[in-house]
Amino acid sequence: MLAQWPRLLASKGVEDLVLVNNVSDPSADTLTLSTDIFRCASLQRLFLGFWTFPNTAVLPRGPDVFPLLRELSMFATTMTDGDLDYMLACTPSLETLALIFNLTPDRVHLRSKSLRCVLLWCSMVEEGVVVVDAPLLERLILFEGPPGPDAGQVKVKIFGAPKLRVLGYLEPGIHQLQIGDKVIKPNTRASPSTMVPGVKILALKVNFGVSKEVKMMASFLGCFPNVETLHVQVTPIIYSTVTLLDIISKNNQ
């Protein structure tokens, strides 16, 4: 019956589809998504929850798979790096991508001519996020990164995003920021090669009780010289002799 549903939806020309597997135990193995879902060329918005991607290497590839898809959201969905690359290659009209509570893929390579907004919410992207070629990308939202002190560093690399306007939350304690070929480190001096001048709204999450994070915050600010709105979340709340105004003042100098 499950295999028949996508075929029926495809024949009806469905445009909006929310397909969530109602699992009683979220830690249990999830069902494999039916490959027939990739025949719904009429889809414009797709939300998948609690599924495992099939082997996309053997599926038809190209812009005709999802030619009209504009919004793609995946919640607690298991997939490989190649599966995400496949979806981006098959969605020439995709504008919004959301990965929520996903344990995979290990890396997110954003290579899309149409993407405008990307959300990663509590997604365990161990190898990081790389904006390879996204000429229309305006918003990159990294919300609630990997939890715990042993989560390790997550790389955030920005190569090709000339229209990026909104970025955050960058966390100096978790994120390793790279602009082009330059890795941003504490006390890195700002230069044209390390700046993203288009960013107007920047959000940071900083522990002011950790000196390295405070120094990294100053270096991060130097990469975005034209920020008009700055959001700073202090976590955990610790009284410190270093204030946000001190950091901004030194950075302006």
Side-chain angles (χ1 to χ4, degrees):
M1 185 179 294
L2 178 61
Q4 294 175 357
W5 289 349
R7 299 170 194 167
L8 177 62
L9 295 171
S11 67
K12 297 294 185 179
V14 65
E15 296 180 357
D16 301 326
L17 178 60
V18 177
L19 193 59
V20 179
N21 181 26
N22 184 16
V23 293
S24 57
D25 182 4
S27 64
D29 293 337
T30 55
L31 291 176
T32 299
L33 185 67
S34 172
T35 57
D36 286 315
I37 199 70
F38 300 94
R39 298 180 182 179
C40 296
S42 58
L43 281 175
Q44 297 185 25
R45 285 170 290 273
L46 174 62
F47 184 102
L48 300 173
F50 295 105
W51 295 99
T52 295
F53 254 66
N55 181 13
T56 55
V58 299
L59 295 177
R61 193 180 189 91
D64 294 335
V65 177
F66 292 120
L68 305 178
L69 193 66
R70 294 185 289 109
E71 299 178 12
L72 173 62
S73 301
M74 290 177 282
F75 181 94
T77 295
T78 301
M79 63 193 311
T80 67
D81 303 345
D83 294 333
L84 181 59
D85 293 341
Y86 170 86
M87 291 300 295
L88 292 177
C90 293
T91 52
S93 302
L94 190 65
E95 296 180 354
T96 302
L97 171 66
L99 302 178
I100 307 166
F101 282 98
N102 289 333
L103 299 180
T104 56
D106 292 332
R107 63 170 177 82
V108 173
H109 276 200
L110 300 177
R111 195 189 306 269
S112 170
K113 299 296 184 182
S114 57
L115 267 180
R116 295 180 179 274
C117 178
V118 174
L119 167 67
L120 274 75
W121 185 355
C122 287
S123 291
M124 307 292 282
V125 184
E126 294 183 358
E127 295 183 20
V129 183
V130 184
V131 184
V132 182
D133 183 16
L136 298 183
L137 185 65
E138 298 174 354
R139 293 178 289 170
L140 178 57
I141 311 300
L142 311 172
F143 192 67
E144 295 296 335
D150 300 325
Q153 281 197 323
V154 176
K155 298 177 182 178
V156 178
K157 301 181 182 180
I158 302 175
F159 289 96
K163 291 193 175 182
L164 190 62
R165 298 291 181 268
V166 180
L167 176 62
Y169 282 83
L170 286 179
E171 301 185 42
I174 294 178
H175 293 134
Q176 181 189 78
L177 179 63
Q178 179 175 334
I179 308 296
D181 296 327
K182 183 72 172 181
V183 175
I184 308 304
K185 300 179 180 179
N187 300 320
T188 295
R189 291 185 176 275
S191 66
S193 62
T194 63
M195 292 183 181
V196 185
V199 172
K200 302 296 183 181
I201 301 177
L202 178 66
L204 303 172
K205 185 183 291 186
V206 185
N207 184 341
F208 281 86
V210 179
S211 60
K212 184 177 180 180
E213 290 195 28
V214 174
K215 293 179 180 178
M216 281 304 306
M217 177 181 177
S219 296
F220 281 2
L221 289 173
C223 297
F224 309 99
N226 298 320
V227 168
E228 297 174 353
T229 302
L230 176 65
H231 300 276
V232 179
Q233 180 176 338
V234 181
T235 177
I237 300 176
I238 297 178
Y239 291 101
S240 172
T241 56
V242 180
T243 67
L244 177 59
L245 292 178
D246 290 335
I247 296 173
I248 295 176
S249 176
K250 292 178 181 179
N251 189 63
N252 288 337
Q253 294 175 2

